[in-house]
Amino acid sequence: DIQMTQSPSSLSASVGDRVTITCRASQSINSYLNWYQQKPGKAPKLLIYAASSLQSGVPSRFSGGGSGTDFTLTISSLQPEDFATYYCQQSYTTPRTFGQGTKVEIK
Amino acid sequence: EVQLVESGGGLVQPGGSLRLSCAASGFTFSSYWMHWVRQAPGKGLVWVSRINSDGTGTNYADSVKGRFTISRDNAKNTLYLQMNSLRAEDTAVYYCASVTGEWRAFDIWGQGTMVSVSS
């Protein structure tokens, strides 16, 4: 199975900050990397697919990058509604695997 | 409106069975692969199973293989997860999710249904 490792596990940031979360795959997954946002008690929501493509309706302050084994999710200017947990996930092979999550909290 | 709605969760004793359903609307359900993902209380997301568009191909996580069965009824626009021999570690919110794009991301999610396994 492909292991997905996110860092950090949590972070504290202020509104307006630039935030970057990293995700590393245990082997190359080309660009089959997706990012999800999850708020408490809610289902995950797709933000980024194919490593860098913005899902329809997602604000442009979210961006993704990387290929192969190393990937990033960047929020250019953190907004109050962005405080949530973020997960990376590989869709290169089965079983699909997720990172452990990064909780973004208010400083 | 594009929507997935799960049902069938509840409290069950260890060793018991439960069948989850996921009703789809607003998109061509029969054209897309479908997945189940679960999340134990306070934990991360874990993939459980997937089924191809016509129901002839399935895959399972090792942790549920031989105990869970995924199926679908395209005439009823409904996905199922039959869960047998349930264990305490199966306690989780179960989400169904669809994959409609070529990059295989989970782009439509249901709201989730809670399964609790306890005596």
Side-chain angles (χ1 to χ4, degrees):
Chain A
D1 298 1
I2 297 176
Q3 307 299 319
M4 306 300 293
T5 304
Q6 285 181 237
S7 61
S9 296
S10 65
L11 65 90
S12 295
S14 301
V15 173
D17 284 353
R18 181 182 182 89
V19 168
T20 297
I21 299 168
T22 64
C23 178
R24 175 164 288 177
S26 60
Q27 66 184 74
S28 176
I29 56 172
N30 292 337
S31 294
Y32 285 91
L33 190 283
N34 312 302
W35 289 98
Y36 302 88
Q37 176 193 67
Q38 187 180 33
K39 296 181 179 180
K42 300 295 187 181
K45 172 188 172 183
L46 177 63
L47 298 177
I48 301 282
Y49 64 94
S52 61
S53 295
L54 198 65
Q55 175 70 351
S56 176
V58 174
S60 59
R61 63 181 179 273
F62 291 93
S63 63
S67 66
T69 60
D70 294 304
F71 302 88
T72 58
L73 173 70
T74 298
I75 309 172
S76 61
S77 178
L78 201 62
Q79 297 303 298
E81 60 268 31
D82 300 337
F83 292 95
T85 300
Y86 294 84
Y87 294 92
C88 63
Q89 177 245 341
Q90 62 83 15
S91 52
Y92 182 72
T93 190
T94 299
R96 303 287 193 256
T97 45
F98 292 87
Q100 80 278 15
T102 296
K103 187 173 184 179
V104 176
E105 299 176 300
I106 302 173
K107 181 183 283 185
Chain B
E1 180 190 6
V2 172
Q3 194 168 275
L4 294 170
V5 179
E6 299 98 335
S7 60
L11 175 63
V12 61
Q13 293 187 338
S17 298
L18 214 53
R19 187 176 85 154
L20 306 183
S21 299
C22 169
S25 59
F27 67 104
T28 309
F29 175 76
S30 60
S31 295
Y32 303 112
W33 291 60
M34 295 294 297
H35 295 246
W36 287 98
V37 175
R38 69 184 181 183
Q39 186 171 37
K43 302 298 185 181
L45 301 168
V46 177
W47 176 82
V48 173
S49 181
R50 73 169 183 179
I51 187 168
N52 66 358
S53 59
D54 65 7
T56 59
T58 59
N59 297 95
Y60 299 91
D62 286 345
S63 59
V64 307
K65 202 172 295 183
R67 300 187 299 123
F68 289 13
T69 303
I70 190 172
S71 63
R72 65 192 296 162
D73 185 335
N74 285 344
K76 294 183 177 180
N77 288 341
T78 303
L79 173 73
Y80 302 100
L81 186 67
Q82 177 66 44
M83 304 186 295
N84 298 330
S85 303
L86 282 161
R87 306 166 180 167
E89 54 264 35
D90 296 319
T91 294
V93 175
Y94 285 73
Y95 296 101
C96 60
S98 70
V99 172
T100 68
E102 64 178 291
W103 290 91
R104 309 194 287 252
F106 300 149
D107 48 8
I108 306 170
W109 292 72
Q111 85 288 354
T113 188
M114 182 69 203
V115 172
S116 297
V117 184
S118 175
S119 55

